[in-house]
Amino acid sequence: MKKCFRVRAACGFGFMLMLVSVHTACAGLRLAGMFADNMVLQQGQSVPVWGWADPGQSIQVEFGGQVKSAVADSNGQWWVTLDVMVSSAVPRDLKISSNLKSQISNLIFHDVLVGEVWFCSGQSNMAMTMREIPAGAIETTMPQDTSLRVFTFRRQFAAAPANAITNGTWYGVDSNRVRGVSATAYYFGKRLQQELQVPVGLIVSTWGGTPVQAWMSREMLAGATGTDAIAEKGLAATRDGLKTNEAFLAAGGDPKKRPWPEWRSAATPTWLFNGMVHPFIPYAIRGVIWYQGEANVSDPELYGALFPAMIRGWRAEWGLGEFPFYFCQLPGIKLHPGEEGKLARLRAMQAKALQLPNTGMAVIYDTAEEADNHPKNKRPAGERMALLALARTYGRAIEYSGPAYAGMSVEGDKIRVRFDHLGGGLVARELPRDYRPVSVKPETRPLIRKSPGGSLEGFELKGADGSWHWADAGINDGTVVVSSPHVAHPVAVRYAWADFGFFNLFNKAGLPAAPFQTPVNAVQ
């Protein structure tokens, strides 16, 4: 018999794929684990509330003047839907009652707000907390503002779609709690809360070192590649690894030195979707922010197929239509020999997801650290995704993108490049003379420019012989003119197409230009 959770909101046995033995064996009224004190409910949408009770029992849910009723089915599952609500920062109670004869027949969740809820997910750069970044100490002096709320829980992976989360907690972010919050999610949520003046809830679901295939169901993987091979190969490796652990422990090995570490299991295809995403469906959310991709650099083209499939799959599972999905394009790092160029290609694969409706990409290469895959400046990541949300989701009249490639023309031995999102005008941001490969260490290196003949760094031209050459570039009449003494007849141009570099084309709104590469003779 499975354990019956009786602590309020600690049990989240799921709604889509039920574990019948759990429901029939456990008496008492329970709700899914993300329902707890201090939660934020989504405004402007109908809000599902679901849980379990004794089969056949009547359930009543009360909130904000609404009263909804349901009857638990033969498996003990019940469900109600609250009508669309407007935002409210006034704390209210969510009350659930039943005519159960068991010891738990009434639940009350206190300090419940209504506002904007976002699901914040990815790997270690999304997981990195405020205490891990130098700027985090500044935020500890902020005034208390508990209308920004965060939900965290014990991370877990699962071989099958999980129906429970444990140790789930909603809490208001104030000067005492901010250091434990995902820095990217915090800067995103803080900017939204300040601009919208409504409560903001952030559900943080992250695991470092994990590839995108861990965050996808088997159906999503198969749909992206036409085969189940990725899932089968990953599951086989995990099974072998776990058997190795068993043999190691049976021989008296130190449990802390298991040859198959926990993160390897977490990286198993489908296991994080099962354990870290599925239990939250169908909690009402506005959208998703995402910072991931480092674990997929070894195969950029595969990522180009998987990432859009994951977005489509999550949207289908939630059933909320094409909700907003905003993500960070990876910043740079110097890759090991033999891997060069793969990060540049992965960025291009990330950008392919922009072909899906209601997606947006935050360009953050200016936060890169040459020798650290975890840049400490997370403010641009969070705030630039917030700009996307404010403009694209909430209709604010603000610039949300850096210069974006809009076309080119060949002018003799030069190429003129046009851009959208000028943001008041193009800017060649000043380049440093020296830089730190790792921002938190004192070592510095001189910046050696690739193209010292122009004000802009990071442009290349392709000649008729098919070779790329670093080029000189400058701003001219709202466009960029690119030339190279090594290219007499240019046929294509690209920008920021390197694993790491100091690319300095911005707009006056302070946002960096997105990397791009044109097809040969892409004259418009």
Side-chain angles (χ1 to χ4, degrees):
M1 181 180 295
K2 299 183 183 294
K3 180 178 179 182
C4 176
F5 291 86
R6 291 191 176 275
V7 179
R8 183 177 66 190
C11 182
F13 298 113
F15 128 83
M16 294 297 289
L17 293 174
M18 297 173 292
L19 298 177
V20 175
S21 60
V22 173
H23 299 303
T24 57
C26 299
L29 178 62
R30 304 181 307 283
L31 265 75
M34 66 290 302
F35 293 94
D37 292 341
N38 311 310
M39 78 184 98
V40 180
L41 302 178
Q42 177 62 48
Q43 68 167 334
Q45 295 179 15
S46 56
V47 175
V49 180
W50 71 97
W52 301 269
D54 293 341
Q57 299 301 312
S58 297
I59 309 297
Q60 183 169 281
V61 177
E62 300 178 54
F63 182 74
Q66 297 188 47
V67 179
K68 301 293 182 178
S69 299
V71 176
D73 65 17
S74 59
N75 292 317
Q77 178 189 348
W78 58 265
W79 160 308
V80 303
T81 301
L82 297 176
D83 298 332
V84 173
M85 297 175 283
V86 298
S87 65
S88 174
V90 177
R92 290 177 287 185
D93 291 343
L94 175 65
K95 301 178 182 179
I96 304 94
S97 59
S98 74
N99 60 345
L100 293 170
K101 297 179 181 178
S102 58
Q103 66 185 58
I104 300 178
S105 59
N106 295 281
L107 296 175
I108 301 178
F109 300 108
H110 302 291
D111 195 10
V112 179
L113 308 182
V114 179
E116 292 297 304
V117 181
W118 287 80
F119 193 78
C120 313
S121 191
Q123 57 180 111
S124 53
N125 275 306
M126 179 64 86
M128 183 181 288
T129 63
M130 293 292 288
R131 70 167 57 93
E132 298 174 81
I133 65 175
I138 299 173
E139 296 294 330
T140 61
T141 63
M142 70 180 196
Q144 293 195 0
D145 183 6
T146 56
S147 63
L148 175 60
R149 308 250 172 121
V150 173
F151 182 82
T152 60
F153 62 105
R154 180 181 295 168
R155 64 183 191 175
Q156 61 187 21
F157 48 80
N163 300 307
I165 53 175
T166 59
N167 292 358
T169 302
W170 282 97
Y171 60 88
V173 179
D174 56 27
S175 58
N176 296 318
R177 304 294 298 269
V178 67
R179 288 174 62 79
V181 180
S182 157
T184 297
Y186 169 74
Y187 287 121
F188 172 83
K190 180 182 178 183
R191 183 67 180 268
L192 287 193
Q193 198 279 324
Q194 290 176 334
E195 295 284 345
L196 301 177
Q197 290 296 298
V198 301
V200 172
L202 306 173
I203 299 172
V204 179
S205 180
T206 63
W207 200 308
T210 54
V212 69
Q213 50 264 44
W215 297 92
M216 302 171 68
S217 69
R218 295 191 73 143
E219 293 77 14
M220 296 174 204
L221 286 170
T225 61
T227 175
D228 207 31
I230 291 176
E232 282 298 330
K233 182 179 179 180
L235 291 169
T238 297
R239 285 192 292 266
D240 291 343
L242 294 176
K243 288 179 180 177
T244 302
N245 279 354
E246 292 176 5
F248 175 78
L249 295 174
D254 184 349
K256 296 181 180 179
K257 299 180 180 180
R258 297 175 184 179
W260 183 264
E262 183 184 49
W263 69 265
R264 295 288 297 274
S265 291
T268 303
T270 75
W271 281 24
L272 291 186
F273 173 80
N274 292 338
M276 305 277 282
V277 181
H278 185 271
F280 289 95
I281 300 170
Y283 194 83
I285 61 172
R286 176 64 68 192
V288 171
I289 61 170
W290 176 258
Y291 191 160
Q292 187 275 337
E294 301 90 339
N296 290 94
V297 169
S298 62
D299 196 342
E301 283 68 31
L302 177 62
Y303 194 83
L306 297 182
F307 183 40
M310 190 202 81
I311 297 173
R312 289 192 296 266
W314 282 24
R315 286 171 168 174
E317 289 282 341
W318 244 287
L320 295 174
E322 294 172 336
F323 57 63
F325 194 108
Y326 303 131
F327 59 94
C328 287
Q329 189 182 50
L330 293 187
I333 188 172
K334 187 175 182 179
L335 297 182
H336 298 298
E339 297 290 309
E340 295 96 336
K342 288 187 174 181
L343 181 52
R345 298 208 310 274
L346 186 119
R347 289 197 202 100
M349 296 299 103
Q350 289 182 299
K352 283 181 60 178
L354 296 176
Q355 297 172 9
L356 297 178
N358 215 7
T359 56
M361 182 176 73
V363 176
I364 56 170
Y365 57 66
D366 54 318
T367 69
E369 300 182 26
E370 184 181 52
D372 191 343
N373 201 30
H374 300 93
K376 301 302 184 291
N377 183 9
K378 289 292 186 285
R379 185 186 295 270
E383 291 195 344
R384 288 172 191 172
M385 285 193 287
L387 290 177
L388 285 163
L390 288 168
R392 303 275 301 279
T393 302
Y394 301 109
R396 295 296 194 269
I398 57 174
E399 182 57 84
Y400 61 87
S401 171
Y405 173 79
M408 60 168 263
S409 57
V410 178
E411 300 178 359
D413 61 351
K414 301 178 178 62
I415 285 183
R416 185 180 298 272
V417 186
R418 303 185 302 278
F419 293 90
D420 292 328
H421 294 284
L422 298 183
L426 299 178
V427 174
R429 180 168 286 189
E430 183 177 358
L431 293 164
R433 296 182 59 183
D434 302 284
Y435 68 96
R436 289 186 176 184
V438 178
S439 65
V440 295
K441 294 183 179 180
E443 175 194 359
T444 62
R445 296 177 186 174
L447 173 61
I448 300 174
R449 292 194 57 185
K450 302 289 187 183
S451 49
S455 60
L456 293 171
E457 182 81 0
F459 280 89
E460 297 174 82
L461 285 180
K462 187 175 187 178
D465 63 354
S467 299
W468 286 98
H469 297 272
W470 291 106
D472 300 325
I475 298 169
N476 178 271
D477 193 25
T479 65
V480 172
V481 177
V482 189
S483 64
S484 169
H486 305 291
V487 182
H489 302 287
V491 295
V493 60
R494 66 187 183 187
Y495 172 71
W497 207 266
D499 299 326
F500 176 83
F502 287 85
F503 317 122
N504 65 329
L505 177 60
F506 285 67
N507 59 24
K508 288 186 178 180
L511 299 172
F516 67 89
Q517 175 174 286
T518 69
V520 173
N521 291 323
V523 180
Q524 297 180 10

